[in-house]
Amino acid sequence: MRDKKKGINLSERLQEIAGFVPKGARLLDVGSDHAYLPLYLLGKGCIDYAIAGEVAEGPYSSALENVAQAGLSDCVDVRLADGLAAFTESDDIDVIAVCGMGGRLIAEILEAGKAKLSLVKQLILQPNNCEDELRLWLMANGFAITAEKIVTDKQKYYEILVAEKGQMTLSDMDLRFGPFLRRELSAVFKARWQRELSKLEQALMKIPEKNEQDRLAIKVKISQIKEVLHESTADY
Ligand code: SAM
């Protein structure tokens, strides 16, 4: 492992994501923006090689510039490409990170490049929303979640999902709250869902009694959260 001296300051969210990248991985970072994640991991001596894939010209140029400035152009290939088109078999990529996008978009990127996923050992995913849809895609496509973490950064909550090839069966509650997260019941998890619960309770108070369907939909969400937080659901 080469010892790279140039470091980079990452957001807390990206640092948490970086913590899941195995030492020595050959990483594809899809939607790499400034190439922060690959540069940080190289700087720490955690990896030797990465591809920073970007579909948009602006972030692609920033990534190219940052990699060149860090003097790491021999270790990071910055490629203008849509999703998994950024790599081929000969790149020997074993870990793919797709982070900081909507869960639906991440699932679409994985779906579009599905044929190539057989080449890869691990996915590290950080959806900004629609986590349930992403978990559903993983379950339907022969991936099993092996680890999950919920983190907070600048008063926002982010879920990180790590998946490998395998089978899993997730209930509706697992899809929504995360099979590991809901059992671990961390303080961050509780705070995230307490906040969501308060929002839903406020919303419910504003919906007139006559709108039964709307009220019922919110009540179901409320009682699921209460169940996962082990609070009484008697009122709902
Ligand atoms: N991954 C970084 C992070 O977590 O901080 C950057 C997140 S940024 C919000 C999302 C980036 O993904 C943007 O730079 C966008 O251009 C890129 N992106 C969106 N769809 C993409 C796709 N299909 N292929 C590659 N990059 C994509």
Side-chain angles (χ1 to χ4, degrees), residues 13-14 17 29-34 36 53-56 59 81-84 98-101 105 109 126 128:
R13 174 185 61 86
L14 278 174
I17 292 165
D29 183 27
V30 175
S32 199
D33 200 349
H34 294 78
Y36 287 147
E54 244 304 329
V55 78
D82 186 347
L84 305 195
V98 197
C99 302
M101 304 174 208
L105 176 57
I109 287 172
Q126 183 268 298
N128 289 342

Side-chain angles (χ1 to χ4, degrees), residues 104-202:
R104 199 171 293 161
L105 176 57
I106 295 177
E108 282 168 8
I109 287 172
L110 297 175
E111 177 67 30
K114 208 153 90 168
K116 284 175 162 178
L117 289 176
S118 59
L119 303 169
V120 169
K121 274 200 207 115
Q122 198 171 67
L123 302 176
I124 301 173
L125 311 171
Q126 183 268 298
N128 289 342
N129 53 40
C130 299
E131 294 88 356
D132 53 344
E133 292 186 31
L134 183 54
R135 288 191 185 96
L136 187 60
W137 187 92
L138 291 169
M139 179 168 76
N141 287 279
F143 280 88
I145 296 173
T146 54
E148 289 180 316
K149 190 161 186 185
I150 183 164
V151 300
T152 177
D153 188 355
K154 299 194 184 77
Q155 295 173 345
K156 285 191 177 172
Y157 295 104
Y158 300 98
E159 293 184 13
I160 303 166
L161 316 183
V162 181
E164 292 179 11
K165 270 159 246 146
Q167 296 301 316
M168 66 175 173
T169 306
L170 299 181
S171 65
D172 285 352
M173 293 288 278
D174 289 333
L175 288 172
R176 181 160 184 221
F177 298 100
F180 289 87
L181 296 178
R182 83 183 184 98
R183 289 175 178 88
E184 186 195 12
L185 270 181
S186 71
V188 178
F189 175 91
K190 285 185 191 166
R192 181 228 164 129
W193 288 107
Q194 283 289 358
R195 184 156 94 180
E196 185 67 21
L197 182 60
S198 304
K199 278 193 208 161
L200 289 168
E201 285 175 336
Q202 303 237 335

Side-chain angles (χ1 to χ4, degrees), residues 1-2 17-29 37-38 41-42 45-51 75-76 91-97 120-124:
M1 190 73 51
R2 289 165 62 168
I17 292 165
F20 283 101
V21 177
K23 200 167 170 63
R26 284 179 69 85
L27 174 74
L28 164 64
D29 183 27
L37 184 64
L41 289 163
L42 279 153
C46 178
I47 62 170
D48 275 336
Y49 175 78
I51 297 172
C75 306
V76 186
D91 293 313
D92 216 9
I93 291 300
D94 52 12
V95 177
I96 298 181
V120 169
K121 274 200 207 115
Q122 198 171 67
L123 302 176
I124 301 173

